[in-house]
Amino acid sequence: MNILVVGSGAREYSIGLALKKDESVNDLYFAPGNGATLNLGKNIETGSWEELADFAKERDIDLTIVGPEAPLVEGIVDIFKDRGLTIFGPSQKAALLEGSKIYMKNFLKRHNIPTAKFLETDSLEEAYKFIESISEPIVVKADGLCAGKGVIIAQSKEEAKKASGEMLSGKAFGEAGKRVVIEEFLDGYELSIFAISDGEKYVILPAAQDHKRLLDNDKGPNTGGMGAYAPTPLIDEELYKKIEDKIIAPTIDGMRNEGTPFEGVLFAGLMIVKNEPYVLEYNVRFGDPECEVLMPLLKTPASELFYKAATKDLDSLKIEFYNKYAVGVVLASENYPYGKSKPAEIIVDEIVHKDLAQHAHISFAGVSLAEGKLYATGGRVLVCVGIGDTLKEARDYAYLLTGQVHFAGKKYRSDIAYQALRD
Ligand code: AMP
Ligand code: GLY
């Protein structure tokens, strides 16, 4: 099978790593990929999605897997399907679950799926009235995609009003903020649940937990994610079942019944309050770094899983996972998440510890290759992933590897998986 992976992060690298283990995969391409995906396959320039579809036709690509949300929201899946290509991901209409918070919240309401009480509006007056009617803290969200930055948790009504004003005027996020969702704050713990669906059937993956804040003990600003682990013991059978029955099943069924079947990865960002799940957000793709810890746990060949999901054939798939744990620690550049950082050479010590070589690996993101050397180019640079029979063992391997990777300005959290490992 010839496969094209769209994206350039550690998420796409980890999908590539899983595909490399898979004997049925011949040619592997990344569009655009990064300085390290070159070791897994070929990188190609991305022009328009139409041009990429032409490329896929020419090279007999059997399956395209889309990593990030932007191409999905822009309709890459529809463009590829129109040309008879097989592609894993939701249509542009179904991608609205992530592309528009208003669409998502109203969908949840129509299908009685638990979520925070909310108001959607483009009127400052209405926003103020609603803010006065609920208690603090208050959450204000821009409608459209804002690269993870469009959510303000206001501690006071004044702050909530100010945030709504800045969004609605277009000052904060331009067009993406000209409609807003204002909602109640849910106080609990967060979980990410991923379901892969072919529009009809779905499979749920082991539950993962991300660490969004920059610093240890969940301090500092929000980031794209500083580390993740799976499976998390924070979820038991009963809660898992509740999430399936109250959230995943009604979403997949609801999307199908509304004529926008959801094909691809449904990423439910949940808040668990008193053992009850509520949807905070939907994403229509894998989380990053969650994908980096889920892919190594997948026993089923990755190409089979994605191909069957893209061809309405999940019914014939028996998905299997290793009975192990994975922990991923993100190494980021000096100025992440505030701004750019100077390129810095990455040195990885020779790994002499045999166990470490077997139980840990790197998934690369913000890296470039020049004259045989790998450079950190800013943002999240790479993820050190440890695999173990216990969560503690997986974490220890991940941190051992973290100590073997060097670049100027390297920073990381030292407490990934702390919620699951504290006594
Ligand atoms: P979102 O992009 O909607 O998931 O929001 C980003 C982050 O803001 C979430 O991961 C939560 O940490 C937080 N958040 C969003 N909505 C709420 C809410 N209603 N209550 C509490 N925290 C929230
Ligand atoms: N790790 C969270 C995200 O990918 O949105």
Side-chain angles (χ1 to χ4, degrees), residues 69-84:
E69 62 276 21
L72 296 167
V73 171
E74 287 163 19
I76 189 173
V77 168
D78 309 71
I79 293 166
F80 272 55
K81 282 192 175 169
D82 278 350
R83 299 191 188 194

PDB file of all heavy atoms in Angstrom, residues 69-84:
ATOM      1  N   GLU A  69      -6.080  19.734  11.833  1.00  0.00           N
ATOM      2  CA  GLU A  69      -7.464  20.140  11.583  1.00  0.00           C
ATOM      3  C   GLU A  69      -7.618  21.067  10.382  1.00  0.00           C
ATOM      4  O   GLU A  69      -8.638  21.039   9.695  1.00  0.00           O
ATOM      5  CB  GLU A  69      -8.090  20.790  12.821  1.00  0.00           C
ATOM      6  CG  GLU A  69      -7.440  22.076  13.324  1.00  0.00           C
ATOM      7  CD  GLU A  69      -6.246  21.839  14.238  1.00  0.00           C
ATOM      8  OE1 GLU A  69      -5.663  20.729  14.183  1.00  0.00           O
ATOM      9  OE2 GLU A  69      -5.886  22.763  14.994  1.00  0.00           O
ATOM     10  N   ALA A  70      -6.605  21.926  10.135  1.00  0.00           N
ATOM     11  CA  ALA A  70      -6.816  22.965   9.114  1.00  0.00           C
ATOM     12  C   ALA A  70      -7.185  22.373   7.745  1.00  0.00           C
ATOM     13  O   ALA A  70      -8.178  22.798   7.140  1.00  0.00           O
ATOM     14  CB  ALA A  70      -5.606  23.888   9.037  1.00  0.00           C
ATOM     15  N   PRO A  71      -6.439  21.391   7.228  1.00  0.00           N
ATOM     16  CA  PRO A  71      -6.829  20.846   5.917  1.00  0.00           C
ATOM     17  C   PRO A  71      -8.243  20.248   5.931  1.00  0.00           C
ATOM     18  O   PRO A  71      -8.963  20.333   4.926  1.00  0.00           O
ATOM     19  CB  PRO A  71      -5.800  19.731   5.663  1.00  0.00           C
ATOM     20  CG  PRO A  71      -4.695  19.955   6.615  1.00  0.00           C
ATOM     21  CD  PRO A  71      -5.214  20.761   7.750  1.00  0.00           C
ATOM     22  N   LEU A  72      -8.635  19.666   7.070  1.00  0.00           N
ATOM     23  CA  LEU A  72      -9.971  19.042   7.166  1.00  0.00           C
ATOM     24  C   LEU A  72     -11.052  20.111   7.086  1.00  0.00           C
ATOM     25  O   LEU A  72     -12.035  19.968   6.350  1.00  0.00           O
ATOM     26  CB  LEU A  72     -10.089  18.258   8.478  1.00  0.00           C
ATOM     27  CG  LEU A  72      -9.120  17.069   8.597  1.00  0.00           C
ATOM     28  CD1 LEU A  72      -9.088  16.547  10.031  1.00  0.00           C
ATOM     29  CD2 LEU A  72      -9.522  15.952   7.634  1.00  0.00           C
ATOM     30  N   VAL A  73     -10.846  21.183   7.843  1.00  0.00           N
ATOM     31  CA  VAL A  73     -11.819  22.272   7.848  1.00  0.00           C
ATOM     32  C   VAL A  73     -11.852  22.941   6.466  1.00  0.00           C
ATOM     33  O   VAL A  73     -12.891  23.428   6.018  1.00  0.00           O
ATOM     34  CB  VAL A  73     -11.487  23.267   8.995  1.00  0.00           C
ATOM     35  CG1 VAL A  73     -12.323  24.521   8.910  1.00  0.00           C
ATOM     36  CG2 VAL A  73     -11.699  22.578  10.350  1.00  0.00           C
ATOM     37  N   GLU A  74     -10.724  22.902   5.766  1.00  0.00           N
ATOM     38  CA  GLU A  74     -10.674  23.493   4.415  1.00  0.00           C
ATOM     39  C   GLU A  74     -11.242  22.560   3.338  1.00  0.00           C
ATOM     40  O   GLU A  74     -11.324  22.944   2.175  1.00  0.00           O
ATOM     41  CB  GLU A  74      -9.226  23.856   4.065  1.00  0.00           C
ATOM     42  CG  GLU A  74      -8.735  25.081   4.825  1.00  0.00           C
ATOM     43  CD  GLU A  74      -7.221  25.228   4.835  1.00  0.00           C
ATOM     44  OE1 GLU A  74      -6.554  24.620   3.981  1.00  0.00           O
ATOM     45  OE2 GLU A  74      -6.723  25.929   5.719  1.00  0.00           O
ATOM     46  N   GLY A  75     -11.576  21.316   3.720  1.00  0.00           N
ATOM     47  CA  GLY A  75     -12.269  20.434   2.779  1.00  0.00           C
ATOM     48  C   GLY A  75     -11.378  19.492   1.980  1.00  0.00           C
ATOM     49  O   GLY A  75     -11.778  19.000   0.922  1.00  0.00           O
ATOM     50  N   ILE A  76     -10.205  19.155   2.505  1.00  0.00           N
ATOM     51  CA  ILE A  76      -9.304  18.256   1.771  1.00  0.00           C
ATOM     52  C   ILE A  76      -9.966  16.905   1.470  1.00  0.00           C
ATOM     53  O   ILE A  76      -9.788  16.341   0.390  1.00  0.00           O
ATOM     54  CB  ILE A  76      -7.960  18.062   2.543  1.00  0.00           C
ATOM     55  CG1 ILE A  76      -6.950  17.303   1.661  1.00  0.00           C
ATOM     56  CG2 ILE A  76      -8.149  17.351   3.864  1.00  0.00           C
ATOM     57  CD1 ILE A  76      -5.556  17.216   2.255  1.00  0.00           C
ATOM     58  N   VAL A  77     -10.780  16.423   2.412  1.00  0.00           N
ATOM     59  CA  VAL A  77     -11.387  15.097   2.237  1.00  0.00           C
ATOM     60  C   VAL A  77     -12.354  15.102   1.049  1.00  0.00           C
ATOM     61  O   VAL A  77     -12.356  14.185   0.223  1.00  0.00           O
ATOM     62  CB  VAL A  77     -12.072  14.636   3.546  1.00  0.00           C
ATOM     63  CG1 VAL A  77     -12.947  13.417   3.331  1.00  0.00           C
ATOM     64  CG2 VAL A  77     -11.003  14.354   4.603  1.00  0.00           C
ATOM     65  N   ASP A  78     -13.154  16.159   0.946  1.00  0.00           N
ATOM     66  CA  ASP A  78     -14.117  16.254  -0.166  1.00  0.00           C
ATOM     67  C   ASP A  78     -13.370  16.308  -1.504  1.00  0.00           C
ATOM     68  O   ASP A  78     -13.780  15.674  -2.482  1.00  0.00           O
ATOM     69  CB  ASP A  78     -14.988  17.504   0.014  1.00  0.00           C
ATOM     70  CG  ASP A  78     -15.588  17.566   1.412  1.00  0.00           C
ATOM     71  OD1 ASP A  78     -14.850  17.815   2.393  1.00  0.00           O
ATOM     72  OD2 ASP A  78     -16.786  17.308   1.544  1.00  0.00           O
ATOM     73  N   ILE A  79     -12.277  17.064  -1.532  1.00  0.00           N
ATOM     74  CA  ILE A  79     -11.502  17.213  -2.774  1.00  0.00           C
ATOM     75  C   ILE A  79     -10.910  15.865  -3.198  1.00  0.00           C
ATOM     76  O   ILE A  79     -11.007  15.463  -4.357  1.00  0.00           O
ATOM     77  CB  ILE A  79     -10.386  18.278  -2.580  1.00  0.00           C
ATOM     78  CG1 ILE A  79     -11.020  19.657  -2.386  1.00  0.00           C
ATOM     79  CG2 ILE A  79      -9.399  18.276  -3.739  1.00  0.00           C
ATOM     80  CD1 ILE A  79     -10.066  20.722  -1.869  1.00  0.00           C
ATOM     81  N   PHE A  80     -10.356  15.139  -2.246  1.00  0.00           N
ATOM     82  CA  PHE A  80      -9.764  13.830  -2.579  1.00  0.00           C
ATOM     83  C   PHE A  80     -10.855  12.838  -3.001  1.00  0.00           C
ATOM     84  O   PHE A  80     -10.687  12.089  -3.954  1.00  0.00           O
ATOM     85  CB  PHE A  80      -8.969  13.280  -1.386  1.00  0.00           C
ATOM     86  CG  PHE A  80      -7.531  13.729  -1.347  1.00  0.00           C
ATOM     87  CD1 PHE A  80      -7.210  15.082  -1.365  1.00  0.00           C
ATOM     88  CD2 PHE A  80      -6.492  12.809  -1.291  1.00  0.00           C
ATOM     89  CE1 PHE A  80      -5.879  15.510  -1.329  1.00  0.00           C
ATOM     90  CE2 PHE A  80      -5.161  13.216  -1.269  1.00  0.00           C
ATOM     91  CZ  PHE A  80      -4.855  14.569  -1.286  1.00  0.00           C
ATOM     92  N   LYS A  81     -11.965  12.837  -2.264  1.00  0.00           N
ATOM     93  CA  LYS A  81     -13.026  11.860  -2.579  1.00  0.00           C
ATOM     94  C   LYS A  81     -13.636  12.126  -3.947  1.00  0.00           C
ATOM     95  O   LYS A  81     -13.979  11.193  -4.672  1.00  0.00           O
ATOM     96  CB  LYS A  81     -14.108  11.868  -1.500  1.00  0.00           C
ATOM     97  CG  LYS A  81     -13.669  11.110  -0.262  1.00  0.00           C
ATOM     98  CD  LYS A  81     -14.831  10.880   0.676  1.00  0.00           C
ATOM     99  CE  LYS A  81     -14.390  10.005   1.840  1.00  0.00           C
ATOM    100  NZ  LYS A  81     -15.396   9.964   2.888  1.00  0.00           N
ATOM    101  N   ASP A  82     -13.775  13.405  -4.300  1.00  0.00           N
ATOM    102  CA  ASP A  82     -14.308  13.754  -5.629  1.00  0.00           C
ATOM    103  C   ASP A  82     -13.464  13.131  -6.730  1.00  0.00           C
ATOM    104  O   ASP A  82     -13.946  12.914  -7.835  1.00  0.00           O
ATOM    105  CB  ASP A  82     -14.303  15.279  -5.825  1.00  0.00           C
ATOM    106  CG  ASP A  82     -15.519  15.909  -5.181  1.00  0.00           C
ATOM    107  OD1 ASP A  82     -16.416  15.146  -4.765  1.00  0.00           O
ATOM    108  OD2 ASP A  82     -15.562  17.150  -5.075  1.00  0.00           O
ATOM    109  N   ARG A  83     -12.202  12.919  -6.438  1.00  0.00           N
ATOM    110  CA  ARG A  83     -11.321  12.330  -7.462  1.00  0.00           C
ATOM    111  C   ARG A  83     -11.172  10.829  -7.301  1.00  0.00           C
ATOM    112  O   ARG A  83     -10.258  10.218  -7.860  1.00  0.00           O
ATOM    113  CB  ARG A  83      -9.952  12.970  -7.385  1.00  0.00           C
ATOM    114  CG  ARG A  83     -10.077  14.430  -7.636  1.00  0.00           C
ATOM    115  CD  ARG A  83      -8.768  15.087  -7.839  1.00  0.00           C
ATOM    116  NE  ARG A  83      -9.027  16.515  -7.881  1.00  0.00           N
ATOM    117  CZ  ARG A  83      -8.174  17.397  -8.303  1.00  0.00           C
ATOM    118  NH1 ARG A  83      -7.001  17.006  -8.737  1.00  0.00           N
ATOM    119  NH2 ARG A  83      -8.494  18.667  -8.298  1.00  0.00           N
ATOM    120  N   GLY A  84     -12.016  10.254  -6.467  1.00  0.00           N
ATOM    121  CA  GLY A  84     -11.998   8.797  -6.306  1.00  0.00           C
ATOM    122  C   GLY A  84     -10.854   8.300  -5.440  1.00  0.00           C
ATOM    123  O   GLY A  84     -10.534   7.113  -5.441  1.00  0.00           O
TER     124      GLY A  84
END
